[in-house]
Amino acid sequence: MAQEFWRWKEYNWRDPEESWNKAKMLTAGVDVGSVSTQAAVMADGQLCAFASMRTGSDSPDSARKAMDWALRETGLTLDRIRYVIGTGYGRVNVPFAHRTITEIACHARGANFMYGPNVRTVLDMGGQDCKAIRCDEKGKVSAFLMNDKCAAGTGRGMEVFADLLSVPLEQIGDLSYEVDQEPQPVSSTCVVFAKTEAVGLLRKGWPKNNVLAAYCSAMAHRVYTLLERLGVEGDFGITGGIAKNSGVVKRLEKELNLKALTPRYDPQIAGAVGAALFAHTLAQKEATA
Amino acid sequence: MIANYGYKDGSGEYYISMNTDKCDGCGDCVTACPAGVLEMIVNDYDEKVAAVTDAHRKKIKYSCAPCKPVQGRPVLPCIAACQPQVIQHSW
Amino acid sequence: MITAGIDMGAKTTKAVILRDGNVIARALTFTGFDQKEAAEKALADALAQAALNRSDVARTFATGVGRQQASFANGSMTEMAADTKGSLLLNNKLRTVIDVGAEEGRAMKCTAEGKVTDFAVNEKCAAGAGSFVEAMSRALELPLEKMGEMSLRSKNAVAMNAQCTVFAESEVVSLVHAKTPKEDIVRALHDAIANRIVSMARRVGVEESVGLVGGVGYNIGFVDALRRCLEVESVWVPEQPEYVGAIGAAVAAAEAA
């Protein structure tokens, strides 16, 4: 089988301190995205385990697998988890969830946890969408904007380019800086037309890295215009898969003249973490009611 | 909360912005919209507010087109119906 | 009088030779990445077909997205004007002209004299243009010319959610995996793009008769979807609909006398 350049690594993590053993209450969040699914487990509101994997064709199955994988080697079983919240595009397809909450609210809450209470602007670049969120010190949303109609400015757009140029997704960031001079951004927003434009550039003799640079900066600019509509206030954090793509992130930081915060954990799990935190709050409410 | 529903694609920016703090939950905009673009929801913070339906979020450029002729555009019915001035269109 | 019209589209470049209001030759070439070269080639091919020389042509007008590159042309005009002029030469009853090209969709309302009174354009998004249908034919592994006839055999309406060409590709692949009959998928795709084109056309106000020009006119499935969506008796499509813009440019060149 041909190499699939758009694939990224699936993995799981657990707290080496095994904090779940001492926890009074365990809660979980499952973020079923269109491309990836994450499950996060919280021990008394602190992250103790998570897993991140590609969403399969069957969402309930993906949700279950991600949860199982997060719990693997912790000795925990699903029935020990007091409250589970489903979020993301496929949030209604988490069969063991007690409630669903939109990914907008979960990302804001998750970013608040991962970046600290000073975060006011959150950009989430996911596999098939892009969200810009403004939030308060508690991680409550004060404004948001979402684009899930158009592939430009989403991970899917980057995957199209990874495939076109036969470059593994994780290497795009680094390669895009291996250029003599920063090229003009690709002018088409539409991924279909941007691809045609890129083919033209390659035919003109542009090295691959320059084409990558041109696309990364086009993407950074597109995301910049989304943020601009909402107004950017510091601190600023990026979540979602593309947060790992320095080719877009560093160019965006330059355009915004603002550095993105460094997260405590993998930025891809923010939605699941936010969901698990909502679960923690709701479970506490239930316990005292 | 300022909730922006819609999208930006190569052809332009199409957002319906709802200032949910001003929304009194009356639902007049929902009845006024001839295309069924709007609905009342209970959001994540348990507030009853107006929103753009899931079915229309990715195509409001087209859904709202009948109210936006090239020439002689009237006041949009959703905006006219909303007393507290919650709704704005970006295009 | 002999005039020439060149339509420099995003994907193909067309040239026609017009003699006293009759099209006597037409030629098409892929635009590629050198628009001027493509224009020269299309014109040379059309002239060869008519057994004429450059010097026999009184005037040449250019239209299309690359029209500025045809430095040898005596004049240029917008696609809207060219489409309308070309369409009315072939059918003077038209009052609404819809053009679905590779990278743009357009709708024009016009007077009996061929004057454009209103127009709307969808550009820079493949979902509202011919590229959408092409991308779908690749995703379905189905030749473009088979899509039209196939969709007419569909008996079931399938919902398509994606409004973006890239996302629609994935949706089509999932539908195929779910064993959805291909004819139903193709019909859903034609309905989807026809809906987008019609909602754009309604912004200018659709008046009969309605004509469709541009390469997508070959696709009988799309034409049928467009007709249903517009709720009209019929949609007029000329023979070789991709040449209408070039014909309009040649007409304008003749009128410039």
Side-chain angles (χ1 to χ4, degrees):
Chain A
M1 195 173 157
Q3 192 181 350
E4 290 176 310
F5 293 100
W6 44 262
R7 282 230 181 249
W8 37 261
K9 226 172 66 201
E10 301 182 308
Y11 74 109
N12 65 350
W13 174 90
R14 65 204 154 89
D15 179 11
E17 309 275 321
E18 305 197 348
S19 53
W20 57 85
N21 288 327
K22 295 160 278 181
K24 283 203 278 296
M25 183 162 57
L26 294 167
T27 58
V30 183
D31 180 356
V32 184
S34 45
V35 178
S36 69
T37 297
Q38 285 85 23
V41 184
M42 294 289 204
D44 299 329
Q46 287 306 314
L47 188 62
C48 67
F50 68 80
S52 173
M53 56 199 292
R54 200 155 182 103
T55 305
S57 54
D58 181 26
S59 304
D61 188 51
S62 300
R64 210 172 274 122
K65 273 191 186 144
M67 196 68 230
D68 286 350
W69 208 24
L71 294 176
R72 191 177 300 165
E73 293 160 45
T74 60
L76 295 170
T77 48
L78 188 57
D79 55 356
R80 289 277 315 280
I81 313 282
R82 177 85 62 85
Y83 208 104
V84 182
I85 284 182
T87 187
Y89 166 83
R91 60 183 173 274
V92 294
N93 290 318
V94 183
F96 47 92
H98 299 86
R99 189 187 158 167
T100 64
I101 290 186
T102 69
E103 56 269 42
I104 302 280
C106 287
H107 271 275
R109 188 83 188 262
N112 178 274
F113 176 84
M114 293 177 42
Y115 295 104
N118 291 330
V119 70
R120 288 291 169 278
T121 310
V122 181
L123 172 69
D124 173 60
M125 293 197 270
Q128 288 197 12
D129 65 5
C130 179
K131 299 180 267 283
I133 307 167
R134 293 272 304 267
C135 61
D136 66 13
E137 72 287 349
K138 291 196 181 99
K140 188 181 181 230
V141 179
S142 57
F144 75 86
L145 171 160
M146 175 149 156
N147 173 51
D148 61 349
K149 181 263 179 189
C150 167
T154 72
R156 190 74 189 80
M158 201 44 99
E159 289 175 358
V160 168
F161 267 71
D163 216 36
L164 174 73
L165 299 167
S166 307
V167 172
L169 212 49
E170 313 88 71
Q171 289 175 25
I172 285 182
D174 289 342
L175 290 177
S176 78
Y177 290 106
E178 290 174 19
V179 291
D180 296 335
Q181 207 189 343
E182 182 75 7
Q184 281 286 314
V186 170
S187 67
S188 308
T189 297
C190 176
V191 176
V192 175
F193 296 157
K195 204 172 144 182
T196 311
E197 204 178 319
V199 171
L201 294 173
L202 291 170
R203 226 173 269 180
K204 257 177 31 191
W206 277 40
K208 235 188 224 183
N209 294 353
N210 290 47
V211 178
L212 282 176
Y215 191 63
C216 286
S217 69
M219 196 149 172
H221 181 70
R222 173 176 167 81
V223 174
Y224 171 80
T225 61
L226 292 182
L227 284 167
E228 218 185 13
R229 174 159 197 89
L230 220 55
V232 181
E233 197 190 331
D235 293 352
F236 166 57
I238 305 179
T239 62
I242 295 190
K244 295 180 202 166
N245 183 330
S246 61
V248 177
V249 172
K250 281 203 245 165
R251 287 181 175 90
L252 175 63
E253 288 178 329
K254 201 172 161 199
E255 200 161 347
L256 283 172
N257 199 16
L258 197 65
K259 267 248 172 287
L261 299 171
T262 315
R264 282 159 69 194
Y265 300 97
D266 183 341
Q268 211 164 345
I269 64 164
V273 166
L277 287 168
F278 270 112
H280 183 73
T281 312
L282 288 169
Q284 273 180 325
K285 227 186 242 172
E286 252 180 29
T288 54
Chain B
M1 188 194 318
I2 310 289
N4 291 284
Y5 298 103
Y7 52 89
K8 175 181 179 173
D9 65 18
S11 72
E13 268 189 76
Y14 312 96
Y15 286 106
I16 296 178
S17 300
M18 302 279 190
N19 185 345
T20 61
D21 298 336
K22 287 189 188 169
C23 182
D24 58 12
C26 71
D28 287 350
C29 57
V30 178
T31 347
C33 173
V37 168
L38 305 173
E39 64 175 344
M40 299 308 294
I41 59 159
V42 175
N43 70 11
D44 293 320
Y45 306 108
D46 296 326
E47 301 155 343
K48 189 187 172 199
V49 292
V52 174
T53 67
D54 263 339
H56 285 286
R57 280 178 202 181
K58 294 181 195 170
K59 54 178 184 190
I60 55 171
K61 171 186 173 182
Y62 301 108
S63 308
C64 296
C67 290
K68 301 184 177 198
V70 174
Q71 267 176 33
R73 174 168 154 177
V75 178
L76 300 174
C78 53
I79 290 178
C82 180
Q83 206 89 58
Q85 299 185 316
V86 170
I87 308 168
Q88 272 188 341
H89 285 234
S90 73
W91 80 109
Chain C
M1 182 171 45
I2 297 168
T3 57
I6 303 176
D7 179 3
M8 301 169 72
K11 195 168 176 213
T12 57
T13 296
K14 285 80 59 176
V16 305
I17 310 293
L18 195 72
R19 179 192 277 150
D20 304 325
N22 293 308
V23 178
I24 57 167
R26 47 184 104 202
L28 175 147
T29 184
F30 283 99
T31 302
F33 294 96
D34 189 339
Q35 291 167 320
K36 187 167 178 235
E37 194 186 286
E40 299 265 15
K41 181 169 188 307
L43 181 59
D45 288 355
L47 285 169
Q49 229 183 77
L52 291 169
N53 293 313
R54 271 274 180 97
S55 53
D56 299 323
V57 177
R59 252 181 314 279
T60 302
F61 269 35
T63 185
V65 63
R67 61 181 177 274
Q68 304 304 342
Q69 303 299 318
S71 44
F72 57 86
N74 308 95
S76 71
M77 63 201 299
T78 64
E79 295 94 323
M80 277 65 85
D83 280 344
T84 314
K85 274 206 190 305
S87 301
L88 275 119
L89 177 76
L90 304 172
N91 178 353
N92 59 17
K93 289 194 188 68
L94 296 181
R95 291 300 170 269
T96 309
V97 177
I98 294 173
D99 177 0
V100 183
E103 294 199 354
E104 264 186 29
R106 288 183 283 273
M108 286 75 66
K109 199 159 82 173
C110 64
T111 64
E113 292 73 42
K115 191 173 174 298
V116 179
T117 51
D118 257 334
F119 70 88
V121 188
N122 175 53
E123 54 176 358
K124 296 176 181 163
C125 170
S131 299
F132 176 80
V133 187
E134 273 177 45
M136 294 309 116
S137 105
R138 280 195 299 274
L140 280 164
E141 296 173 348
L142 198 69
L144 203 52
E145 53 290 356
K146 285 205 176 143
M147 288 180 74
E149 173 261 334
M150 191 167 205
S151 69
L152 294 182
R153 279 190 272 127
S154 160
K155 299 215 164 48
N156 300 300
V158 193
M160 280 284 304
N161 297 314
Q163 294 289 330
C164 165
T165 307
V166 174
F167 292 150
E169 281 171 351
S170 320
E171 194 172 350
V172 160
V173 171
S174 330
L175 286 169
V176 171
H177 283 170
K179 305 257 183 306
T180 313
K182 275 197 182 174
E183 56 262 33
D184 294 344
I185 302 176
V186 182
R187 156 104 184 240
L189 293 168
H190 288 153
D191 284 354
I193 178 135
N195 265 306
R196 291 193 279 268
I197 298 287
V198 167
S199 88
M200 173 186 71
R202 292 224 187 278
R203 292 189 59 226
V204 301
V206 175
E207 253 176 64
E208 293 190 65
S209 301
V210 183
L212 172 69
V213 303
V216 178
Y218 283 111
N219 183 331
I220 51 173
F222 172 75
V223 178
D224 186 60
L226 192 69
R227 182 189 58 77
R228 277 185 281 113
C229 212
L230 280 165
E231 297 169 329
V232 294
E233 271 304 293
S234 67
V235 172
W236 175 83
V237 185
E239 271 177 52
Q240 299 190 295
E242 72 274 37
Y243 285 100
V244 172
I247 294 171
V251 171
E255 286 171 356

